[in-house]
Amino acid sequence: MSDSKFDSIPLEWVRAFETTARLGSFTAAARETGLTQPAISQRIGNLEHQLGTKLFVRKTRAIHLTTEGEAWLPHVQAALNSLRDSSEALFGVGRNKIVISASSSIVQHWITPRLPALLAASGAEITINTMVLSGDAAEEDGTVKIRYGAGDWPGLYKAPLFEERIAPLASPDLLQAAKDWRELPRLSVSGPRPSWRNWREFSGQPSSSPTALRYDTFASALAAARAGLGVLLGSLPLCQQDLSNGALMRIGDTAMPHHESYWLLASKDRISRRHWEVLRTTLAGQHCKNLFGASMKEGIQLCFCESQLSGLSGL
């Protein structure tokens, strides 16, 4: 048996190196792995001692890979990915399921049009939990979650669904009957989205019309806008189908950007890397061509149910 010093390198030392190199910080690596910063530093120090070379240049407020560390990193990442993929292929038989938790507006206007492509690419059984508001606390059981925010969720796979752009929308009948759309009733949605006040500050357009109706979900407010009950400050990517079929009209050419949007999130321990790449490509990639053209595979089960989540509004 070989007694080379390279034959007995502990895997946890190698993982500590890869995580630190990828994140560029001992502190960030500790946060992702659930270890302390001194534990990460110690593992890397032990690895450097066994290899007989420095992998990082340590400075007061930053660390950088050495030439040797930079050359070794892609080999380490390829080996760890191969280990993960083979483990999933051999022992992950029960993981050929994807559970997605999202708001009703995202399910209806973003996920459903892309389901044929997702089913065809994943070959998985997909369960969709529609997130609704409740005063009762409940566990989030979604393997994959779609949430509104700035993307600051640590330790997860994550990708934005789209770049958020917001503009006033209304039904054609409502606009045709109005002399000035700024005098029409306003529809508002509770929660973290930009408000009509934010729109006025951005566009400089005054308004004398107060909010007529306020909703706790974007899907409900969108239905009210289609019914001609008022003007909605809507997400252009989410409302693309209504704009395309003429159910709603965009008012003017001005669109307000926003730093927050919907994000696709998944725990690295609960979903395979292959499934994540399929999800990212079909749901968070560019708009799929011929979204409704793919056929549903036989034997695939779609379960639409509701999970009660507390403390979330306006989704």
Side-chain angles (χ1 to χ4, degrees), residues 7-174:
D7 291 342
S8 57
I9 299 175
L11 184 59
E12 60 266 26
W13 294 2
V14 179
R15 291 191 184 279
F17 162 72
E18 189 279 332
T19 307
T20 303
R22 172 166 44 85
L23 299 178
S25 164
F26 289 136
T27 302
R31 188 182 304 116
E32 179 171 310
T33 58
L35 300 171
T36 63
Q37 190 271 344
I40 290 290
S41 181
Q42 183 181 38
R43 291 184 180 190
I44 293 175
N46 292 338
L47 177 62
E48 290 175 324
H49 177 74
Q50 184 145 341
L51 293 176
T53 188
K54 290 293 183 182
L55 299 172
F56 292 96
V57 176
R58 295 159 174 83
K59 297 183 178 181
T60 304
R61 297 183 179 274
I63 59 171
H64 303 285
L65 284 169
T66 62
T67 301
E68 292 81 0
E70 190 171 349
W72 195 42
L73 178 60
H75 299 285
V76 168
Q77 290 176 326
L80 291 177
N81 287 337
S82 177
L83 178 62
R84 178 186 177 95
D85 292 344
S86 61
S87 299
E88 289 171 350
L90 291 172
F91 311 115
V93 177
R95 302 179 94 185
N96 197 31
K97 299 180 180 180
I98 299 175
V99 181
I100 302 176
S101 170
S103 65
S104 58
S105 57
I106 286 292
V107 170
Q108 180 178 350
H109 299 286
W110 196 264
I111 295 177
T112 299
R114 292 162 175 79
L115 271 178
L118 178 57
L119 287 167
S122 68
E125 176 185 315
I126 297 177
T127 297
I128 297 179
N129 291 337
T130 303
M131 198 176 65
V132 297
L133 302 180
S134 172
D136 300 323
E139 292 292 329
E140 294 186 67
D141 58 356
T143 300
V144 179
K145 304 175 182 65
I146 297 179
R147 298 293 181 263
Y148 195 82
D152 50 352
W153 294 278
L156 298 172
Y157 287 131
K158 56 186 177 181
L161 293 189
F162 49 77
E163 182 180 353
E164 183 68 291
R165 293 179 299 117
I166 298 168
L169 310 174
S171 70
D173 291 342
L174 182 66

Side-chain angles (χ1 to χ4, degrees), residues 146-150 153 164 166 192-194 258 260-263 315:
I146 297 179
R147 298 293 181 263
Y148 195 82
W153 294 278
E164 183 68 291
I166 298 168
R193 283 187 184 79
H258 189 51
E260 294 184 324
S261 183
Y262 285 96
W263 286 71
L315 295 169

